[in-house]
Short mmCIF file of all heavy atoms in Angstrom, two decimals:
data_model
loop_
_atom_site.label_atom_id
_atom_site.label_comp_id
_atom_site.label_asym_id
_atom_site.label_seq_id
_atom_site.Cartn_x
_atom_site.Cartn_y
_atom_site.Cartn_z
N ILE A 361 -10.55 -0.81 5.41
CA ILE A 361 -10.29 0.09 6.54
C ILE A 361 -11.58 0.73 7.03
O ILE A 361 -11.76 0.96 8.22
CB ILE A 361 -9.23 1.16 6.17
CG1 ILE A 361 -7.85 0.51 6.12
CG2 ILE A 361 -9.22 2.31 7.15
CD1 ILE A 361 -6.71 1.46 5.87
N TYR A 362 -12.54 0.97 6.11
CA TYR A 362 -13.80 1.59 6.52
C TYR A 362 -14.59 0.67 7.45
O TYR A 362 -15.41 1.16 8.25
CB TYR A 362 -14.65 1.98 5.31
CG TYR A 362 -15.92 2.67 5.72
CD1 TYR A 362 -15.88 3.97 6.22
CD2 TYR A 362 -17.15 2.03 5.67
CE1 TYR A 362 -17.04 4.62 6.63
CE2 TYR A 362 -18.31 2.67 6.08
CZ TYR A 362 -18.25 3.95 6.55
OH TYR A 362 -19.40 4.58 6.97
N ARG A 363 -14.36 -0.62 7.39
CA ARG A 363 -15.05 -1.54 8.30
C ARG A 363 -14.66 -1.26 9.75
O ARG A 363 -15.41 -1.55 10.67
CB ARG A 363 -14.72 -2.99 7.95
CG ARG A 363 -15.30 -3.42 6.64
CD ARG A 363 -14.98 -4.86 6.37
NE ARG A 363 -15.22 -5.14 4.96
CZ ARG A 363 -14.61 -6.07 4.29
NH1 ARG A 363 -13.71 -6.84 4.89
NH2 ARG A 363 -14.88 -6.26 3.02
N VAL A 364 -13.46 -0.72 9.95
CA VAL A 364 -12.99 -0.41 11.30
C VAL A 364 -13.12 1.09 11.58
O VAL A 364 -13.68 1.49 12.60
CB VAL A 364 -11.51 -0.85 11.48
CG1 VAL A 364 -11.00 -0.46 12.85
CG2 VAL A 364 -11.38 -2.35 11.26
N ILE A 365 -12.60 1.92 10.70
CA ILE A 365 -12.64 3.37 10.90
C ILE A 365 -13.87 3.91 10.18
O ILE A 365 -13.80 4.47 9.09
CB ILE A 365 -11.34 4.04 10.41
CG1 ILE A 365 -10.15 3.42 11.13
CG2 ILE A 365 -11.38 5.55 10.68
CD1 ILE A 365 -8.81 3.88 10.62
N THR A 366 -15.01 3.73 10.81
CA THR A 366 -16.27 4.19 10.26
C THR A 366 -16.38 5.71 10.44
O THR A 366 -15.53 6.33 11.08
CB THR A 366 -17.44 3.51 10.98
OG1 THR A 366 -17.36 3.83 12.37
CG2 THR A 366 -17.41 2.00 10.79
N LYS A 367 -17.44 6.26 9.93
CA LYS A 367 -17.66 7.71 10.08
C LYS A 367 -17.76 8.09 11.56
O LYS A 367 -17.27 9.12 11.98
CB LYS A 367 -18.92 8.11 9.33
CG LYS A 367 -19.17 9.59 9.31
CD LYS A 367 -20.34 9.93 8.41
CE LYS A 367 -20.62 11.39 8.49
NZ LYS A 367 -20.32 12.13 7.32
N ARG A 368 -18.35 7.22 12.36
CA ARG A 368 -18.48 7.49 13.80
C ARG A 368 -17.11 7.55 14.46
O ARG A 368 -16.82 8.47 15.23
CB ARG A 368 -19.35 6.42 14.45
CG ARG A 368 -19.60 6.64 15.92
CD ARG A 368 -20.57 5.62 16.48
NE ARG A 368 -20.08 4.27 16.39
CZ ARG A 368 -19.42 3.64 17.38
NH1 ARG A 368 -19.16 4.28 18.50
NH2 ARG A 368 -19.02 2.41 17.23
N TYR A 369 -16.26 6.58 14.15
CA TYR A 369 -14.91 6.61 14.72
C TYR A 369 -14.09 7.77 14.16
O TYR A 369 -13.29 8.37 14.87
CB TYR A 369 -14.18 5.29 14.47
CG TYR A 369 -14.44 4.26 15.53
CD1 TYR A 369 -15.01 3.04 15.22
CD2 TYR A 369 -14.13 4.51 16.86
CE1 TYR A 369 -15.25 2.09 16.19
CE2 TYR A 369 -14.38 3.57 17.84
CZ TYR A 369 -14.94 2.37 17.50
OH TYR A 369 -15.17 1.44 18.47
N ALA A 370 -14.30 8.10 12.89
CA ALA A 370 -13.58 9.24 12.30
C ALA A 370 -13.95 10.52 13.05
O ALA A 370 -13.08 11.34 13.37
CB ALA A 370 -13.91 9.36 10.81
N ASN A 371 -15.23 10.69 13.35
CA ASN A 371 -15.66 11.87 14.11
C ASN A 371 -15.10 11.86 15.53
O ASN A 371 -14.72 12.90 16.06
CB ASN A 371 -17.18 11.95 14.14
CG ASN A 371 -17.78 12.32 12.81
OD1 ASN A 371 -17.12 12.92 11.96
ND2 ASN A 371 -19.02 11.94 12.59
N THR A 372 -15.02 10.70 16.14
CA THR A 372 -14.44 10.59 17.48
C THR A 372 -12.98 10.99 17.46
O THR A 372 -12.52 11.75 18.33
CB THR A 372 -14.59 9.14 18.01
OG1 THR A 372 -15.98 8.84 18.12
CG2 THR A 372 -13.93 8.99 19.37
N ILE A 373 -12.24 10.49 16.47
CA ILE A 373 -10.81 10.82 16.38
C ILE A 373 -10.63 12.32 16.17
O ILE A 373 -9.80 12.95 16.84
CB ILE A 373 -10.13 10.02 15.24
CG1 ILE A 373 -10.10 8.53 15.59
CG2 ILE A 373 -8.72 10.53 14.98
CD1 ILE A 373 -9.68 7.64 14.43
N THR A 374 -11.41 12.92 15.27
CA THR A 374 -11.25 14.36 15.04
C THR A 374 -11.66 15.16 16.27
O THR A 374 -11.06 16.21 16.54
CB THR A 374 -12.04 14.83 13.80
OG1 THR A 374 -13.41 14.46 13.93
CG2 THR A 374 -11.45 14.25 12.52
N ASP A 375 -12.64 14.68 17.03
CA ASP A 375 -12.99 15.35 18.29
C ASP A 375 -11.83 15.28 19.28
O ASP A 375 -11.55 16.23 20.01
CB ASP A 375 -14.22 14.70 18.93
CG ASP A 375 -15.52 15.05 18.22
OD1 ASP A 375 -15.52 16.00 17.42
OD2 ASP A 375 -16.52 14.35 18.46
N ASN A 376 -11.15 14.12 19.31
CA ASN A 376 -10.05 13.94 20.25
C ASN A 376 -8.86 14.85 19.95
O ASN A 376 -8.13 15.23 20.87
CB ASN A 376 -9.57 12.48 20.24
CG ASN A 376 -10.57 11.54 20.88
OD1 ASN A 376 -11.52 11.96 21.53
ND2 ASN A 376 -10.37 10.25 20.68
N VAL A 377 -8.64 15.20 18.67
CA VAL A 377 -7.43 15.97 18.31
C VAL A 377 -7.74 17.42 17.96
O VAL A 377 -6.84 18.18 17.63
CB VAL A 377 -6.68 15.31 17.12
CG1 VAL A 377 -6.24 13.91 17.48
CG2 VAL A 377 -7.52 15.31 15.86
N TYR A 378 -9.00 17.81 18.07
CA TYR A 378 -9.39 19.17 17.67
C TYR A 378 -8.60 20.24 18.42
O TYR A 378 -8.17 21.24 17.84
CB TYR A 378 -10.90 19.36 17.90
CG TYR A 378 -11.36 20.74 17.58
CD1 TYR A 378 -11.55 21.14 16.26
CD2 TYR A 378 -11.60 21.68 18.58
CE1 TYR A 378 -11.97 22.42 15.94
CE2 TYR A 378 -12.02 22.97 18.28
CZ TYR A 378 -12.21 23.32 16.97
OH TYR A 378 -12.60 24.59 16.65
N GLY A 379 -8.37 20.02 19.70
CA GLY A 379 -7.65 21.01 20.52
C GLY A 379 -6.23 21.23 20.03
O GLY A 379 -5.73 22.37 20.05
N LEU A 380 -5.57 20.16 19.58
CA LEU A 380 -4.20 20.29 19.06
C LEU A 380 -4.19 21.16 17.81
O LEU A 380 -3.33 22.04 17.65
CB LEU A 380 -3.61 18.91 18.75
CG LEU A 380 -3.34 18.02 19.97
CD1 LEU A 380 -2.99 16.61 19.52
CD2 LEU A 380 -2.23 18.61 20.82
N ALA A 381 -5.14 20.92 16.90
CA ALA A 381 -5.20 21.71 15.67
C ALA A 381 -5.56 23.17 15.98
O ALA A 381 -5.01 24.09 15.39
CB ALA A 381 -6.22 21.12 14.71
N LYS A 382 -6.46 23.35 16.93
CA LYS A 382 -6.86 24.71 17.31
C LYS A 382 -5.68 25.50 17.85
O LYS A 382 -5.56 26.70 17.60
CB LYS A 382 -7.97 24.63 18.36
CG LYS A 382 -8.52 25.95 18.78
CD LYS A 382 -9.61 25.77 19.81
CE LYS A 382 -10.03 27.10 20.37
NZ LYS A 382 -10.85 26.97 21.56
N ASP A 383 -4.77 24.81 18.56
CA ASP A 383 -3.58 25.47 19.11
C ASP A 383 -2.45 25.59 18.10
O ASP A 383 -1.38 26.09 18.44
CB ASP A 383 -3.09 24.70 20.34
CG ASP A 383 -4.08 24.75 21.50
OD1 ASP A 383 -4.94 25.65 21.50
OD2 ASP A 383 -4.00 23.88 22.39
N GLY A 384 -2.68 25.12 16.87
CA GLY A 384 -1.66 25.23 15.82
C GLY A 384 -0.61 24.14 15.87
O GLY A 384 0.40 24.22 15.18
N GLU A 385 -0.83 23.11 16.65
CA GLU A 385 0.09 21.99 16.74
C GLU A 385 -0.31 20.92 15.72
O GLU A 385 -0.77 19.83 16.07
CB GLU A 385 0.09 21.43 18.17
CG GLU A 385 0.52 22.47 19.20
CD GLU A 385 0.35 21.97 20.62
OE1 GLU A 385 0.23 20.75 20.84
OE2 GLU A 385 0.34 22.83 21.52
N TYR A 386 -0.10 21.23 14.44
CA TYR A 386 -0.60 20.39 13.36
C TYR A 386 0.12 19.05 13.27
O TYR A 386 -0.50 18.03 12.96
CB TYR A 386 -0.53 21.15 12.03
CG TYR A 386 -1.41 22.37 12.04
CD1 TYR A 386 -0.85 23.66 12.08
CD2 TYR A 386 -2.79 22.26 12.06
CE1 TYR A 386 -1.65 24.78 12.12
CE2 TYR A 386 -3.60 23.38 12.11
CZ TYR A 386 -3.03 24.64 12.13
OH TYR A 386 -3.83 25.74 12.18
N TYR A 387 1.42 19.04 13.54
CA TYR A 387 2.13 17.76 13.49
C TYR A 387 1.62 16.82 14.59
O TYR A 387 1.31 15.66 14.33
CB TYR A 387 3.66 17.94 13.65
CG TYR A 387 4.33 16.62 13.92
CD1 TYR A 387 4.42 15.64 12.92
CD2 TYR A 387 4.81 16.31 15.19
CE1 TYR A 387 5.00 14.41 13.19
CE2 TYR A 387 5.39 15.08 15.46
CZ TYR A 387 5.48 14.13 14.46
OH TYR A 387 6.04 12.91 14.71
N ASP A 388 1.49 17.34 15.81
CA ASP A 388 1.00 16.52 16.92
C ASP A 388 -0.42 16.03 16.64
O ASP A 388 -0.79 14.90 16.98
CB ASP A 388 1.04 17.29 18.23
CG ASP A 388 2.46 17.57 18.70
OD1 ASP A 388 3.36 16.77 18.34
OD2 ASP A 388 2.68 18.58 19.40
N CYS A 389 -1.20 16.89 16.01
CA CYS A 389 -2.58 16.55 15.64
C CYS A 389 -2.57 15.37 14.67
O CYS A 389 -3.25 14.36 14.88
CB CYS A 389 -3.26 17.77 15.02
SG CYS A 389 -4.88 17.44 14.34
N ALA A 390 -1.81 15.49 13.57
CA ALA A 390 -1.77 14.44 12.56
C ALA A 390 -1.17 13.15 13.13
O ALA A 390 -1.66 12.05 12.85
CB ALA A 390 -0.97 14.90 11.35
N LYS A 391 -0.14 13.29 13.95
CA LYS A 391 0.49 12.12 14.56
C LYS A 391 -0.52 11.36 15.41
O LYS A 391 -0.61 10.13 15.35
CB LYS A 391 1.68 12.56 15.42
CG LYS A 391 2.36 11.43 16.15
CD LYS A 391 3.48 11.94 17.02
CE LYS A 391 4.10 10.78 17.79
NZ LYS A 391 5.16 11.21 18.68
N GLU A 392 -1.29 12.09 16.21
CA GLU A 392 -2.30 11.46 17.06
C GLU A 392 -3.41 10.81 16.23
O GLU A 392 -3.90 9.73 16.58
CB GLU A 392 -2.89 12.49 18.04
CG GLU A 392 -3.86 11.91 19.03
CD GLU A 392 -3.25 10.87 19.97
OE1 GLU A 392 -2.03 10.90 20.21
OE2 GLU A 392 -4.01 10.01 20.46
#
Side-chain angles (χ1 to χ4, degrees):
I361 286 185
Y362 183 72
R363 292 182 196 153
V364 177
I365 303 173
T366 60
K367 185 173 176 111
R368 182 174 63 93
Y369 273 121
N371 289 337
T372 297
I373 293 170
T374 55
D375 286 345
N376 290 347
V377 300
Y378 177 77
L380 292 170
K382 183 180 172 193
D383 294 340
E385 299 173 18
Y386 297 109
Y387 167 71
D388 292 333
C389 173
K391 178 183 177 182
E392 184 62 25

